[in-house]
Amino acid sequence: MAAVVLDRQSVVPLYFQIQQRLSEQIRSGELKPGELVPSEQEISARLRVSRMTARQALKSLCSRGLAYSQRGKGTFVSRMKLEKNFRQLLSFSEEMKDRGSRPRSKVLAFKRIHPDEEVAEALHLGPAEEVIFLRRVRIADSAPLCIEAANLPARLCPELLERFEPSGSLYRELAEHYGLQVHMADEVAEASVATGAEAKLLRVRRRSPVFRFTRTAYLHTGQPIEFVESTYRGDRCKVVNRLTRHLEIVS
Amino acid sequence: MAAVVLDRQSVVPLYFQIQQRLSEQIRSGELKPGELVPSEQEISARLRVSRMTARQALKSLCSRGLAYSQRGKGTFVSRMKLEKNFRQLLSFSEEMKDRGSRPRSKVLAFKRIHPDEEVAEALHLGPAEEVIFLRRVRIADSAPLCIEAANLPARLCPELLERFEPSGSLYRELAEHYGLQVHMADEVAEASVATGAEAKLLRVRRRSPVFRFTRTAYLHTGQPIEFVESTYRGDRCKVVNRLTRHLEIVS
DNA sequence: AAGTGGTCTAGACCACTCG
DNA sequence: GAGTGGTCTAGACCACTTG
């Protein structure tokens, strides 16, 4: 928080520049867990911004989980260990790259079909609407990790069958060619054991532990864009969550 | 958003009163999914508050997932179905009451012990610090649901052994007698199969599917307050999550 | 008493969307 | 061009925490 100056011509908002600088200081260890972050007044004075802007920077820092505020005391660097990608929605490809693995896929099916009722309901489809169906075995570090069956409304991604290379990243394709940004997803996980067919594809013994996931992904408007059912090897993955006690987070 | 007036003498902030009114209109169906929420300017004019206050009310609404904003277009009622207690941290007792079940517990152990290394690390304990250890079978609707083993720093809840009725709600006890509010938790879930001993306690067959959870709960300061290992019957529970794509939620 | 975050005001300019 | 949300300013009063 020294005599560094802000770029007031930049398209990057001031509060965001400040938040990024503080994040950097926390990550580098310059600001340690439990320590006081510069106060609103201090930021305001040193960086010559209004107090509301300083405040917005600190709120942004808190909402990212890097700090927390206490009335009358100050804002402190959070003591939580921040796992990377905690609670973040990532595609399989992104997740694997994050871990330093090279993701691969074996495509089992890629076609346009009439969906069953569960899929049609989850995707809010009209009566005769079709979906693009993509079923793949996902491979990480030369061993199968999961079987994944995705359904997308055909209406929202025309010519996906012709255009998309089905072993690649679906989320990237949706974003780059259709402007469809996945914003959030609801996911249900169950504990189960592998069927004979699954065991063969996943190269495990029959009745080995597996996770079964059912995921519906949405655009930020609430439009469902993808319904996925997947089966993960229980010995190769964990589900990591961060739970908060109050949804009533005020601003 | 009619001619209702705000209570300017109330200790409840104006932006919160406005947010609550809008939430109420959404819940009651007066504002329907996909519809426009009154704009910042409109709220500002009708309720005679500054635009920043109106803005704070709308942001608060968005952060609760009830609405979303689009630059240049407006703020819309979210189309997501809002499941109750989605992503919320609940104690077993609270969760069961929410579902309309009467929770019961069979206490297997309740004592003060020296923790192993994993527990000591998770709870940030000093060298010789002890924990309160509580192991219970949790029962819902007359059938076992899970085995739960909790560890709490003895330093933070002195006389818990003497005071607490171990079949009751631990979170309530922590809040009411020690002023310790659980704020968030990190949780890891694994898919596995029941051991012989677990199968007996849970009344299922050996090698039945189970979830194994490891949870560390924190106060809002980041102080760890509880470390729990639990084993849930796979046939009696699901894990429901809401994932968001960007952690970079700005304010 | 001094410092902190929480709330609030009354303006301002901008980029964006839509008709 | 009119309306929207995104950012920013320069003040203000308050409740809370700590010395």
Side-chain angles (χ1 to χ4, degrees):
Chain A
M1 188 52 54
V4 211
V5 286
L6 299 172
D7 181 358
R8 298 187 111 90
Q9 314 312 321
S10 169
V11 291
V12 180
L14 291 177
Y15 81 87
F16 196 75
Q17 294 182 42
I18 299 170
Q19 184 255 91
Q20 282 187 310
R21 183 169 312 166
L22 291 170
S23 297
E24 182 50 38
Q25 291 178 332
I26 291 171
R27 250 187 288 273
S28 74
E30 195 176 335
L31 285 171
K32 293 174 186 58
E35 278 184 4
L36 268 171
V37 174
S39 72
E40 298 175 355
Q41 290 85 336
E42 195 174 341
I43 293 173
S44 169
R46 293 214 198 178
L47 297 181
R48 310 296 179 89
V49 295
S50 79
R51 205 193 122 199
M52 286 300 281
T53 301
R55 178 173 176 71
Q56 196 174 3
L58 289 179
K59 272 192 148 181
S60 165
L61 200 65
C62 291
S63 78
R64 294 187 55 189
L66 292 170
Y68 61 95
S69 290
Q70 286 188 333
R71 194 191 189 110
K73 295 180 77 172
T75 302
F76 302 84
V77 178
S78 176
R79 286 201 190 80
M80 327 284 181
K81 294 177 190 162
L82 287 174
E83 299 271 342
K84 207 160 52 149
N85 296 321
F86 233 115
R87 299 296 327 129
Q88 202 170 3
L89 171 59
L90 290 176
S91 73
F92 179 84
S93 307
E94 292 166 323
E95 201 148 7
M96 289 307 107
K97 273 181 201 154
D98 241 56
R99 296 195 203 171
S101 302
R102 294 175 307 284
R104 291 196 299 120
S105 291
K106 183 172 151 196
V107 178
L108 304 177
F110 187 37
K111 54 189 175 183
R112 190 180 175 115
I113 60 169
H114 288 284
D116 66 29
E117 215 166 280
E118 182 188 15
V119 175
E121 163 148 13
L123 293 176
H124 298 174
L125 297 183
E129 270 199 81
E130 292 185 323
V131 296
I132 306 295
F133 178 78
L134 173 56
R135 188 155 185 263
R136 301 186 274 190
V137 177
R138 302 294 217 148
I139 298 159
D141 300 322
S142 311
L145 180 61
C146 72
I147 308 162
E148 194 184 85
N151 300 268
L152 296 95
R155 168 174 43 91
L156 297 180
C157 41
E159 276 116 49
L160 185 69
L161 277 183
E162 294 74 29
R163 166 179 291 148
F164 179 53
E165 166 49 51
S167 61
S169 170
L170 191 52
Y171 279 22
R172 166 180 278 182
E173 179 73 12
L174 290 176
E176 289 185 358
H177 285 98
Y178 298 95
L180 300 171
Q181 299 272 357
V182 175
H183 175 250
M184 56 145 278
D186 287 337
E187 189 171 84
V188 179
E190 294 175 79
S192 183
V193 291
T195 65
E198 288 170 338
K200 202 165 178 181
L201 286 169
L202 292 175
R203 296 182 199 279
V204 293
R205 280 203 298 276
R206 197 165 163 278
R207 297 193 56 77
S208 293
V210 295
F211 279 110
R212 293 185 193 286
F213 291 100
T214 308
R215 172 194 282 193
T216 309
Y218 301 87
L219 308 180
H220 78 134
T221 57
Q223 164 73 49
I225 181 64
E226 187 195 36
F227 179 82
V228 188
E229 292 175 289
S230 49
T231 305
Y232 276 75
R233 279 173 59 161
D235 62 340
R236 293 200 70 196
C237 78
K238 297 177 179 187
V239 176
V240 179
N241 282 326
R242 174 157 291 180
L243 314 173
T244 54
R245 183 129 177 100
H246 298 291
L247 284 181
E248 315 283 346
I249 298 166
V250 172
S251 164
Chain B
M1 188 52 55
V4 210
V5 285
L6 299 172
D7 181 358
R8 299 187 111 90
Q9 314 314 321
S10 168
V11 292
V12 180
L14 291 178
Y15 81 87
F16 196 74
Q17 293 182 42
I18 299 169
Q19 185 256 87
Q20 282 186 309
R21 183 169 310 166
L22 292 169
S23 297
E24 183 48 40
Q25 292 178 333
I26 291 172
R27 250 187 287 273
S28 73
E30 195 177 335
L31 284 170
K32 292 175 187 59
E35 279 185 3
L36 268 171
V37 174
S39 72
E40 298 176 357
Q41 290 84 339
E42 196 174 340
I43 293 172
S44 169
R46 293 214 199 179
L47 297 181
R48 310 296 179 88
V49 295
S50 79
R51 205 193 123 200
M52 286 300 282
T53 301
R55 179 175 175 70
Q56 196 176 3
L58 289 179
K59 273 193 149 181
S60 165
L61 200 65
C62 291
S63 78
R64 294 185 56 189
L66 291 171
Y68 60 95
S69 290
Q70 286 188 334
R71 193 192 190 109
K73 295 180 77 172
T75 302
F76 301 85
V77 178
S78 175
R79 286 202 191 80
M80 326 285 180
K81 294 176 193 162
L82 287 175
E83 299 270 344
K84 208 161 51 149
N85 296 321
F86 234 114
R87 302 291 330 126
Q88 202 169 1
L89 170 59
L90 290 177
S91 74
F92 178 85
S93 308
E94 293 166 323
E95 201 147 9
M96 289 306 107
K97 274 181 201 153
D98 241 57
R99 295 194 203 172
S101 302
R102 294 177 307 284
R104 290 197 299 119
S105 291
K106 183 173 150 194
V107 178
L108 304 177
F110 187 37
K111 54 190 175 182
R112 191 180 174 114
I113 61 170
H114 288 284
D116 65 28
E117 214 166 283
E118 182 189 16
V119 175
E121 162 146 15
L123 293 176
H124 297 173
L125 298 183
E129 269 198 81
E130 292 185 322
V131 296
I132 307 295
F133 177 78
L134 173 56
R135 188 156 185 262
R136 301 185 275 188
V137 178
R138 301 295 216 149
I139 297 160
D141 300 323
S142 312
L145 180 62
C146 71
I147 308 162
E148 196 185 85
N151 301 266
L152 297 94
R155 167 174 45 91
L156 297 179
C157 40
E159 276 118 47
L160 186 68
L161 277 184
E162 293 74 29
R163 165 179 291 147
F164 179 54
E165 165 49 49
S167 61
S169 171
L170 190 53
Y171 279 22
R172 166 180 279 181
E173 178 73 13
L174 290 176
E176 289 184 359
H177 285 98
Y178 298 95
L180 300 171
Q181 300 273 356
V182 175
H183 175 252
M184 58 145 277
D186 287 338
E187 189 171 85
V188 179
E190 295 175 79
S192 184
V193 292
T195 65
E198 288 170 338
K200 203 166 178 180
L201 286 170
L202 293 174
R203 297 183 198 279
V204 292
R205 280 204 299 275
R206 196 165 163 280
R207 296 194 57 76
S208 293
V210 295
F211 280 109
R212 294 184 193 287
F213 291 99
T214 308
R215 172 195 281 193
T216 309
Y218 301 87
L219 309 180
H220 80 131
T221 56
Q223 164 72 50
I225 181 64
E226 187 196 36
F227 179 81
V228 188
E229 293 175 288
S230 49
T231 305
Y232 276 75
R233 278 172 60 161
D235 61 341
R236 294 199 70 197
C237 79
K238 297 177 179 186
V239 176
V240 178
N241 282 327
R242 174 157 290 179
L243 314 173
T244 53
R245 183 129 177 98
H246 297 292
L247 285 181
E248 315 283 346
I249 297 168
V250 172
S251 164

